[in-house]
Amino acid sequence: MKILVTGGAGFIGSHTCLEMLQEGYEITVVDNLCNSKEEALIRVQAITGKPLTFHKVDLLDRQALEQVFASDSFDAVIHFAGLKAPGESVSIPLRYYQNNITGTINLLEVMAHYGVKSLVFSSSCTVYGEAKTVPIREDFPLGAINPYGRTKLMIEQILADLYTSDNSWDIALLRYFNPVGAHPSGRIGEDPQGIPNNLLPYVAQVAVGRLPELHVFGNDYPTPDGTCIRDYVHVVDLALGHLRALEKLQTHPGLVAYNLGTNRGHSVMEVIAAFEKACGHAIPHRVVERRPGDAAVSYADASKANRELGWRSEKSMDDICADMWRWQKNNPYGYS
Ligand code: NAD
Ligand code: WQD
C-alpha cells in the first residue's frame, strides 16, 4: 500500500513512518519543515534500511500539493501536518486557523479530485475541552478552550460534513492524549524548537543540563500529590495505532473516532521520579503558580481502540523515560 503522510518529518509522523516502513508500506512524505528537520526522515530510512519519498511542500501551496498527487497514486493519507502549541495559538490565532484549517481543506479537495478517500487524521484530547469526569470516552461532549483546540474540533466537524455529503470516504479521527517518548534506537525523538511547552521534553532538557530547572505548575490540585495527572502515551505505541487505523479503513467503516491513550494517568511528580530513575540523577525542580487552563486530571478510556482496532498501549512510564533519555543524551541539541 502507498500512503501519503503530511507532516511526516515531525515528532509523531517520523515515528509512524518508521513503523510503516517496517511493516512494508510505501511512503511519501509532504512537510514544509516549519517545525521539523529532514534529518529525522534520513534517520528513519537509515534505521529501517528502507527508502521513502520526501517532498518539501506546504499544504497551503495547493499547486505543489496537486503535483504530488498527479505524479503518484496513493491508497490513503495520514494527516499530521499542523501547528500544535495551545499557548502560541492564543497569540497568533489567524496563523493557526490559516495553517490548520486551510491546509486541511486544500488537502481534502486535492484528495477528492484524485479519488483518494481514505484518511487518518491527527486529532487530540483537546477536543474534549474541560471534561467533567475521567476516564474520557469518545462520546463525551466536545468543546475546545483555545484556538489550537478549535482548529482540531473544526477539522473534525469539516470531516463529518464531508462524510455526510459523500459516504464513500473512510475517515479515522485519532484523538491522542499526551504523546511522549522516543524510538528505542535513540536516533529519532522529539526536537522542540525553543523552550519546550510540554512536560516531558522540558524534563529531558533539564536532565541533560540544557535547562537549569523544571517549574512544576501548581501542587495544590485535588490529586494524591497535588500535581496534575495526564495520560502519557509512548510515541511508538501511538505510531502503531496509525497502522491499526489504516487496516480499519480497509474495512470501510465510514467516519470513526478513537482515543489513543493508556487508560491511566501519572502526576507531574511521578513523571519526575521516573525520569530521575532513567537518567540516574536528580532533576532540579521548583513548584510555581498553576498554569492557566490546566485541568487537574485527564486520562483516556481507550477501550474502543482496543475493541475495534485491536490496539493498546504496551509501553510503561519507565520505558518512556528510558527511551527519551537515550534520545536526549545522544542528541542533546536534537537534530541540529
Ligand atoms: P510536529 O510539529 O512535530 O509535526 C507536525 C509537522 O507538520 C511538522 O513536521 C511541521 O513541519 C509540519 N507542518 C505544519 N504545518 C504544515 C503545513 N502547512 N504544510 C506542511 N507541513 C506542515 O507535531 P507532532 O507532535 O508530531 O504532532 C503531529 C500532529 O498530531 C499535529 O497535527 C498535532 O496537532 C497532533 N497532536 C499532537 C499532540 C502532541 O502533544 N504532540 C497531541 C495531540 C495531537
Ligand atoms: C502536562 C502537565 C502541566 C510543563 C498538551 C496540549 C494538548 C495536547 C497534549 C496537542 C500539566 C505540567 C508542564 C512544565 C509543568 N497536545 N507541566 N511544567 O497540557 O496536558 O496537553 O499536550 O493536542 O492539547 O495542551 O501537556 O505536557 O503541557 O503538561 O508542571 O514546564 O505537566 O501543568 O499538568 P497538556 P503538557
Side-chain angles (χ1 to χ4, degrees):
M1 271 181 87
K2 270 196 181 174
I3 311 296
L4 180 75
V5 183
T6 78
F11 170 46
I12 306 169
S14 55
H15 288 80
T16 304
C17 286
L18 190 157
E19 298 301 326
M20 286 201 293
L21 286 176
Q22 273 174 343
E23 286 204 19
Y25 287 89
E26 282 180 65
I27 296 176
T28 296
V29 169
V30 294
D31 197 306
N32 65 0
L33 303 180
C34 70
N35 196 38
S36 54
K37 304 250 166 44
E38 192 179 348
E39 176 66 18
L41 294 174
I42 292 168
R43 294 192 190 182
V44 163
Q45 294 171 87
I47 295 164
T48 58
K50 293 181 180 170
L52 57 71
T53 304
F54 172 60
H55 299 286
K56 185 167 185 251
V57 163
D58 192 319
L59 294 187
L60 298 178
D61 183 347
R62 168 80 181 251
Q63 264 190 333
L65 191 60
E66 295 229 6
Q67 273 168 19
V68 173
F69 278 80
S71 64
D72 212 336
S73 60
F74 303 109
D75 298 296
V77 174
I78 305 184
H79 179 30
F80 293 106
L83 300 174
K84 63 162 182 177
E88 181 186 64
S89 78
V90 175
S91 314
I92 48 169
L94 299 183
R95 176 131 195 266
Y96 271 69
Y97 289 118
Q98 168 86 333
N99 191 74
N100 293 3
I101 308 274
T102 308
T104 300
I105 291 175
N106 281 347
L107 175 69
L108 296 172
E109 286 181 342
V110 176
M111 286 175 70
H113 182 76
Y114 285 89
V116 183
K117 295 187 176 178
S118 214
L119 176 74
V120 178
F121 172 60
S122 293
S123 190
S124 165
C125 61
T126 192
V127 300
Y128 297 112
E130 284 158 1
K132 291 207 168 55
T133 57
V134 285
I136 297 172
R137 283 197 318 269
E138 289 84 352
D139 59 1
F140 274 27
L142 302 180
I145 57 169
N146 54 58
Y148 163 70
R150 278 187 276 280
T151 68
K152 289 291 170 196
L153 193 49
M154 284 178 196
I155 294 169
E156 286 204 2
Q157 289 162 341
I158 290 167
L159 291 170
D161 288 338
L162 178 65
Y163 177 68
T164 303
S165 74
D166 174 359
N167 64 15
S168 66
W169 281 83
D170 289 295
I171 301 170
L173 311 174
L174 301 185
R175 296 176 181 155
Y176 317 148
F177 276 65
N178 292 60
V180 288
H183 189 260
S185 64
R187 297 181 68 192
I188 61 167
E190 189 168 7
D191 181 18
Q193 297 190 355
I195 305 285
N197 298 305
N198 298 113
L199 176 64
L200 265 148
Y202 205 111
V203 169
Q205 291 195 14
V206 173
V208 83
R210 195 171 150 181
L211 290 168
E213 68 172 0
L214 171 75
H215 291 169
V216 175
F217 297 143
N219 66 352
D220 56 352
Y221 285 96
T223 61
D225 66 21
T227 64
C228 293
I229 291 177
R230 293 290 180 276
D231 186 340
Y232 298 97
V233 55
H234 196 296
V235 65
V236 172
D237 283 339
L238 196 65
L240 292 171
H242 294 73
L243 275 78
R244 303 294 84 83
L246 283 175
E247 289 157 8
K248 180 75 178 178
L249 293 183
Q250 300 276 296
T251 68
H252 300 297
L255 178 79
V256 284
Y258 298 103
N259 286 341
L260 296 185
T262 69
N263 302 301
R264 66 156 296 182
H266 286 90
S267 73
V268 175
M269 296 313 293
E270 286 172 335
V271 168
I272 296 171
F275 211 98
E276 287 178 335
K277 193 167 122 195
C279 72
H281 60 260
I283 309 279
H285 60 276
R286 181 159 57 93
V287 177
V288 300
E289 289 293 290
R290 289 182 177 196
R291 183 174 68 178
D294 275 341
V297 182
S298 168
Y299 59 93
D301 177 335
S303 58
K304 186 179 174 203
N306 186 228
R307 273 193 316 276
E308 298 187 13
L309 302 181
W311 176 87
R312 73 162 186 213
S313 150
E314 303 280 351
K315 291 178 184 275
S316 66
M317 179 53 72
D318 285 345
D319 297 328
I320 286 169
C321 293
D323 291 338
M324 272 193 92
W325 176 236
R326 194 174 303 108
W327 154 251
Q328 192 71 60
K329 187 171 44 124
N330 295 346
N331 308 268
Y333 288 88
Y335 293 111
S336 43

